[in-house]
Amino acid sequence: MPALQYTIVAHNPSAHLFQVTCTVTDWQADEIVFRLPNWIPGSYMIREFARHIVRIEAFDAEGEVALEKLDKCRWRAKKSTAQLTLRYKVYAWDLSVRAAHLDDTHGYFNGTSVFLLPEGGEDVPCELQIEAPPISVGEAWQVATSLESVAVDERGFGRYRAQNYEDLIDHPVEMGSFERFEFTACGVPHELVLSGIYRTDGERICTDLQRICEYHIQFFGEPAPFDRYVFLTMVVGDGYGGLEHRFSTSLLVSRDTLPAPGESIISDRYMEFLGLCSHEYFHAWNVKRMRPHRLATSSLDVEAHTELLWAFEGITSYYDDLALVRAGLIDKERYLGVLGRTITRVHQGPGRHVQSVAQSSFDAWTRFYKQDENAPNAIVSYYAKGSLVALALDLKLREVSEGTVTLDHLMRELWRRRDEVNGMSESAIEALASELAGQDLTAFFQLAVHGTDDLPLAALFDQVGVALLWRHAKKAAVDIAGRATPGKLPLAQGLRLRYSSPLTEVTHVLTDSAAQRAGVSAGDTLIAFDGVKASEKNVADCLARRHAGDSIELVLFRRDELQYRTLVLKAAVADHASLEVAKGQIDRVDNWLSIAAST
Ligand code: ZN
């Protein structure tokens, strides 16, 4: 039986180097090709992790053997004995949830950054030895991971195992002097691991997380599809990110999103943290265990294009905040506020009329993940608009079934019919929705998923008792000096500016806007606005005192060339969505937002 064993050690933390070995035994072939993935599941961009391997050698039982580099991520070793060991160093200095990071304060890695796979060994069970770092740095270090342990010491260093390579790279590992909190949800042990510098109440976070986790487990039905779950959380001054795994999630969060000790309210920042946890946890079902065929069958070498990210990210984004209200953590007015902000965000991007969520999904690799200054004009987010498509689908199913079928039913049925090995066809969700609805929903999906027209949200909201109102931005209507100008409509320039004294940079110019007509470009440096320095205060003050049709002189630099432009102001459209419970409709709203209504 061929066997695959890895070891990893925080070899030189101050140089950010992990040392890794990979040993194959009882391998029949004389040549073995080893490769590292080019992307990590859940983050749809080619990252070429192998570029961080800084030194690599191979040995068989008789000594060092030649290694030939075949391309950017593959090496070929020729061996003359049944055993071969690769030894290599990996540079780890990427503080994100997607790669690896090591210094003298902690170590973190995803298997996709550090574990070379011998081709043909995809199904071989793996063993991993996580070794303690040099005592000078890591005496107090412990290990946190959802990997199954075989023989570890009280700090967690020692032997772990994985069913196969795919399993091995699905358990990120944190090592350092972190805090660990524990709770159970529906009988399943959960851990919250907090790394970094912070002051918070870990027990309180666990109490809130428990309600979210129990909601999701009961949503898909007990028992949970995992026997343990870990929230690996890196706390920093300013950061945001999450990556889903089958038995854990890696989170990168800002210190101020965690509740202060003794605080009992759910602040907006803490709600963001809980929403992120809820999102990644829902992924343990939606995208980790049921996933598109095109992702399930990828070997992680080249892009795996699917039109379904709107469902796996968008539906997950719909349920992440919905779970907070259904689990009783926030009230419905607050939830409607969150939803209104998402609708507003989507409606402020001209790209929504250019790209459908199916196209946005397919091109995630080169568009959503590689956004430039033209992104708001050219792309739509399969997260934000995807969550509105999920909302619209939920409301549509309720409408056509007179309330007997909801998105909850669709998700549970997708879960019941899942094929974890081969994944879901590109048309599976649309077909099942029509089947459950008892009528053909092709027209709905053409508009919502494959089209670029706005979703008919007002009509759909109407039948769950919610009124969707459009209003103007509040801020721009108020004079910066505090003198309100009632009745005056705000003005829209179609400019997105970054004010950083002493310069103001144009970051985006929106399609068909006043700024685009004036010939302003992203990247320009704005010097003067209406005869005065283009500071945030001066721009706001000018807009509060001018009217649609007025001409404003702009002075700017394009590269190092001085330019003059004339901006003709336009009236802003009412693009801020506000959701309210319609008069006398509270029961219908409760029915939509409560868990009881959908069972
Ligand atoms: Zn996600």
Side-chain angles (χ1 to χ4, degrees), residues 42 44 242-244 276 279-280 283 286-287 312-314 316-317 320 369 382-383:
Y44 307 106
L243 195 64
E244 64 274 13
L276 179 64
H279 181 97
E280 305 306 341
H283 271 319
N286 194 37
V287 97
F312 290 96
E313 290 303 343
T316 302
S317 297
D320 60 23
Y369 269 92
Y382 53 79
Y383 284 87

CSV table of all heavy atoms in Angstrom, one decimal, residues 42 44 242-244 276 279-280 283 286-287 312-314 316-317 320 369 382-383, ligand 1:
chain,number,residue,atom,x,y,z
A,42,GLY,N,-12.6,28.1,-2.7
A,42,GLY,CA,-13.3,29.2,-2.0
A,42,GLY,C,-12.8,30.6,-2.4
A,42,GLY,O,-13.4,31.6,-2.1
A,44,TYR,N,-11.5,32.4,-5.8
A,44,TYR,CA,-11.4,32.0,-7.2
A,44,TYR,C,-10.4,32.9,-8.0
A,44,TYR,O,-10.8,33.7,-8.8
A,44,TYR,CB,-12.8,32.0,-7.8
A,44,TYR,CG,-13.7,31.1,-6.9
A,44,TYR,CD1,-14.7,31.7,-6.1
A,44,TYR,CD2,-13.5,29.7,-6.9
A,44,TYR,CE1,-15.4,30.9,-5.2
A,44,TYR,CE2,-14.3,28.9,-6.1
A,44,TYR,CZ,-15.2,29.5,-5.2
A,44,TYR,OH,-16.0,28.7,-4.4
A,242,GLY,N,-12.8,35.8,5.2
A,242,GLY,CA,-13.1,34.5,5.7
A,242,GLY,C,-13.0,33.5,4.6
A,242,GLY,O,-13.2,33.8,3.4
A,243,LEU,N,-12.6,32.3,5.0
A,243,LEU,CA,-12.6,31.2,4.0
A,243,LEU,C,-13.2,30.0,4.6
A,243,LEU,O,-12.8,29.6,5.7
A,243,LEU,CB,-11.1,31.0,3.5
A,243,LEU,CG,-11.0,30.1,2.2
A,243,LEU,CD1,-11.6,30.9,1.0
A,243,LEU,CD2,-9.6,29.8,1.9
A,244,GLU,N,-14.1,29.4,3.8
A,244,GLU,CA,-14.8,28.2,4.3
A,244,GLU,C,-14.1,26.9,4.2
A,244,GLU,O,-13.4,26.7,3.2
A,244,GLU,CB,-16.2,28.2,3.6
A,244,GLU,CG,-16.1,27.9,2.1
A,244,GLU,CD,-15.9,29.1,1.3
A,244,GLU,OE1,-15.6,30.2,1.8
A,244,GLU,OE2,-16.1,29.0,0.0
A,276,LEU,N,-20.3,37.4,9.4
A,276,LEU,CA,-19.2,36.7,8.7
A,276,LEU,C,-19.1,35.2,9.2
A,276,LEU,O,-19.0,34.3,8.4
A,276,LEU,CB,-17.8,37.4,9.0
A,276,LEU,CG,-16.6,36.8,8.4
A,276,LEU,CD1,-16.6,36.8,6.8
A,276,LEU,CD2,-15.3,37.5,8.9
A,279,HIS,N,-21.9,33.3,7.7
A,279,HIS,CA,-21.7,33.1,6.3
A,279,HIS,C,-20.8,31.9,6.1
A,279,HIS,O,-21.1,30.9,5.4
A,279,HIS,CB,-21.0,34.3,5.7
A,279,HIS,CG,-20.7,34.2,4.2
A,279,HIS,ND1,-21.6,34.8,3.3
A,279,HIS,CD2,-19.7,33.7,3.6
A,279,HIS,CE1,-21.1,34.5,2.1
A,279,HIS,NE2,-19.9,33.9,2.2
A,280,GLU,N,-19.6,31.8,6.8
A,280,GLU,CA,-18.7,30.8,6.6
A,280,GLU,C,-19.2,29.4,7.1
A,280,GLU,O,-19.0,28.4,6.5
A,280,GLU,CB,-17.3,31.1,7.2
A,280,GLU,CG,-16.7,32.4,6.8
A,280,GLU,CD,-16.5,32.6,5.3
A,280,GLU,OE1,-16.6,31.6,4.6
A,280,GLU,OE2,-16.4,33.7,4.9
A,283,HIS,N,-21.6,27.9,4.6
A,283,HIS,CA,-20.8,27.2,3.6
A,283,HIS,C,-20.4,25.8,3.9
A,283,HIS,O,-20.1,25.0,3.0
A,283,HIS,CB,-19.5,28.0,3.3
A,283,HIS,CG,-19.6,29.2,2.4
A,283,HIS,ND1,-20.3,29.1,1.2
A,283,HIS,CD2,-19.0,30.4,2.4
A,283,HIS,CE1,-20.1,30.2,0.5
A,283,HIS,NE2,-19.4,31.0,1.2
A,286,ASN,N,-23.3,24.6,2.0
A,286,ASN,CA,-23.5,25.2,0.7
A,286,ASN,C,-22.1,25.6,0.1
A,286,ASN,O,-21.7,26.8,0.3
A,286,ASN,CB,-24.4,26.4,0.8
A,286,ASN,CG,-24.9,26.8,-0.6
A,286,ASN,OD1,-25.2,26.0,-1.4
A,286,ASN,ND2,-25.1,28.1,-0.8
A,287,VAL,N,-21.5,24.8,-0.6
A,287,VAL,CA,-20.3,24.9,-1.4
A,287,VAL,C,-19.2,24.0,-0.9
A,287,VAL,O,-18.3,23.6,-1.7
A,287,VAL,CB,-19.7,26.3,-1.5
A,287,VAL,CG1,-18.6,26.6,-0.6
A,287,VAL,CG2,-19.2,26.5,-3.0
A,312,PHE,N,-23.9,29.9,-4.7
A,312,PHE,CA,-23.1,29.4,-3.6
A,312,PHE,C,-22.6,30.6,-2.7
A,312,PHE,O,-22.5,30.5,-1.5
A,312,PHE,CB,-21.9,28.5,-4.0
A,312,PHE,CG,-22.5,27.2,-4.5
A,312,PHE,CD1,-22.8,27.0,-5.9
A,312,PHE,CD2,-22.9,26.2,-3.6
A,312,PHE,CE1,-23.3,25.8,-6.3
A,312,PHE,CE2,-23.5,25.1,-4.1
A,312,PHE,CZ,-23.7,24.9,-5.4
A,313,GLU,N,-22.3,31.7,-3.3
A,313,GLU,CA,-22.0,32.9,-2.5
A,313,GLU,C,-23.2,33.8,-2.2
A,313,GLU,O,-23.4,34.3,-1.1
A,313,GLU,CB,-20.9,33.8,-3.2
A,313,GLU,CG,-19.6,33.1,-3.2
A,313,GLU,CD,-19.0,32.7,-1.8
A,313,GLU,OE1,-19.5,33.3,-0.8
A,313,GLU,OE2,-18.1,31.9,-1.7
A,314,GLY,N,-24.1,33.9,-3.2
A,314,GLY,CA,-25.3,34.8,-3.0
A,314,GLY,C,-26.3,34.2,-2.1
A,314,GLY,O,-26.8,34.9,-1.2
A,316,THR,N,-25.7,32.0,0.2
A,316,THR,CA,-25.0,32.0,1.5
A,316,THR,C,-25.1,33.4,2.1
A,316,THR,O,-25.3,33.6,3.3
A,316,THR,CB,-23.6,31.5,1.4
A,316,THR,OG1,-23.6,30.2,0.8
A,316,THR,CG2,-22.9,31.5,2.7
A,317,SER,N,-24.9,34.4,1.3
A,317,SER,CA,-25.0,35.8,1.8
A,317,SER,C,-26.4,36.2,2.2
A,317,SER,O,-26.6,37.0,3.1
A,317,SER,CB,-24.5,36.8,0.7
A,317,SER,OG,-23.2,36.6,0.4
A,320,ASP,N,-26.8,34.4,5.6
A,320,ASP,CA,-25.9,34.8,6.8
A,320,ASP,C,-26.6,35.8,7.7
A,320,ASP,O,-26.6,35.6,8.9
A,320,ASP,CB,-24.5,35.2,6.3
A,320,ASP,CG,-24.4,36.4,5.4
A,320,ASP,OD1,-25.4,37.2,5.4
A,320,ASP,OD2,-23.4,36.5,4.7
A,369,TYR,N,-12.3,39.1,-8.9
A,369,TYR,CA,-11.1,39.0,-8.1
A,369,TYR,C,-9.9,39.9,-8.6
A,369,TYR,O,-8.9,40.0,-8.0
A,369,TYR,CB,-10.6,37.6,-8.0
A,369,TYR,CG,-11.2,36.8,-6.9
A,369,TYR,CD1,-12.4,36.1,-7.0
A,369,TYR,CD2,-10.6,36.9,-5.6
A,369,TYR,CE1,-12.9,35.4,-5.9
A,369,TYR,CE2,-11.1,36.2,-4.5
A,369,TYR,CZ,-12.3,35.5,-4.7
A,369,TYR,OH,-12.8,34.9,-3.6
A,382,TYR,N,-21.4,38.9,-7.6
A,382,TYR,CA,-22.2,37.8,-7.4
A,382,TYR,C,-22.5,37.5,-5.9
A,382,TYR,O,-23.4,36.7,-5.5
A,382,TYR,CB,-21.7,36.5,-8.0
A,382,TYR,CG,-20.2,36.2,-7.7
A,382,TYR,CD1,-20.0,35.6,-6.4
A,382,TYR,CD2,-19.2,36.5,-8.5
A,382,TYR,CE1,-18.7,35.3,-6.1
A,382,TYR,CE2,-17.9,36.2,-8.1
A,382,TYR,CZ,-17.6,35.6,-6.9
A,382,TYR,OH,-16.3,35.3,-6.6
A,383,TYR,N,-21.9,38.2,-5.0
A,383,TYR,CA,-22.2,38.2,-3.6
A,383,TYR,C,-23.5,39.1,-3.4
A,383,TYR,O,-24.5,38.6,-2.9
A,383,TYR,CB,-21.1,38.8,-2.7
A,383,TYR,CG,-19.9,37.8,-2.5
A,383,TYR,CD1,-18.9,37.8,-3.4
A,383,TYR,CD2,-19.9,37.0,-1.4
A,383,TYR,CE1,-17.8,37.0,-3.2
A,383,TYR,CE2,-18.8,36.2,-1.1
A,383,TYR,CZ,-17.8,36.2,-2.0
A,383,TYR,OH,-16.7,35.4,-1.8
B,1,ZN,ZN,-18.6,33.0,0.9
